[in-house]
Amino acid sequence: MPRSARRPPAVILAPQEVEKMRVVGRFAAWILDQVEGLVRPGVTTGEIDRLVARLTHERGGVCAPLGYPKGSRHPFPKHCCTSVNHVVCHGIPSDQHVLKEGDIVNVDVTPILDGYYGDTSRTFLVGEVDPEARRLVEDTFECMRRGIAAVRPGAHVGDIGAAIVEYAHARGHSVVTQFAGHGIGRIFHGPPTISHAGRRGQGLELRPGMTFTVEPMINMGDWRCQILADHWTAVTVDHSLSAQFEHTVTVTEDGVEVLTLGEGRTLALD
């Protein structure tokens, strides 16, 4: 195969780099902990964005989404993504978007500290939420958990997506395939690509030090989505609800470490 056609190598971090990822990962999780205290009916997604910006800047960090990607004709205009109800991902915060009782909102943050990116997101419930919406959010978290639990040396990227899609379909949901997890470290988005609808035993073999996100987007209805005229906001084609959770993980010698867990939080992977 010609050199230009070869796939770039997966992001594999040295132990000292993984430690830097732990630091920024814990910081990203802490930001979402603070966001959780703000999310309620009457709050705008613009207010969420300003909180994320302030917390990141006070720590001396940079919000990776703002102006991403450099040189683009349509760079992302805010500090985080806020995706409400039928928005699958990359929702743009706005003071005109007021959260309402019964909404669900995914907040996706990526601070940069010391040159390393910490990428994580959670879907929050706004006030009292319809039981079916709550079920979707809970099932989406479980999809992410099962995907992460499939990560270990010698496993394959396809094992992650298979664990996700099998559970989602069993629960009556669909899995978005237009977006995927990605390698991360000193770059925001790199190899490997982590499909959330893979097949067991297929794809790149996982090795210690590989560091990437697992971030399934699960829809209540049709799996397809479309991009709005702002060039960023992805919505479900049938306006059904969509939820997402995301963690950054690294492959260890005997399993997986979640780098974006908040203080006192655990993720059972058995």
Side-chain angles (χ1 to χ4, degrees), residues 111-232:
I112 309 171
L113 290 179
D114 198 20
Y116 289 82
Y117 291 73
D119 197 1
T120 186
S121 81
R122 301 176 200 164
T123 296
F124 300 104
L125 308 179
V126 183
E128 291 297 320
V129 174
D130 178 271
E132 284 302 299
R134 180 182 294 272
R135 177 175 177 269
L136 173 69
V137 172
E138 292 172 350
D139 289 348
T140 301
F141 181 86
E142 179 63 11
C143 282
M144 178 194 66
R145 190 199 69 79
R146 289 179 180 232
I148 293 173
V151 177
R152 63 181 63 86
H156 293 262
V157 165
D159 300 339
I160 301 170
I164 291 168
V165 76
E166 288 166 8
Y167 185 77
H169 287 178
R171 297 291 287 172
H173 308 308
S174 64
V175 180
V176 172
T177 59
Q178 290 164 260
F179 302 96
H182 53 87
I184 191 168
R186 291 187 65 89
I187 56 174
F188 196 172
H189 297 97
T193 297
I194 307 297
S195 171
H196 301 121
R199 294 186 178 182
R200 295 187 185 277
Q202 294 190 0
L204 184 71
E205 183 176 329
L206 302 180
R207 296 163 47 199
M210 285 185 179
T211 305
F212 49 82
T213 67
V214 178
E215 48 179 302
M217 302 159 210
I218 308 299
N219 295 351
M220 191 176 286
D222 197 305
W223 61 271
R224 293 171 297 172
C225 56
Q226 59 188 7
I227 310 298
L228 299 185
D230 62 20
H231 301 279
W232 282 101

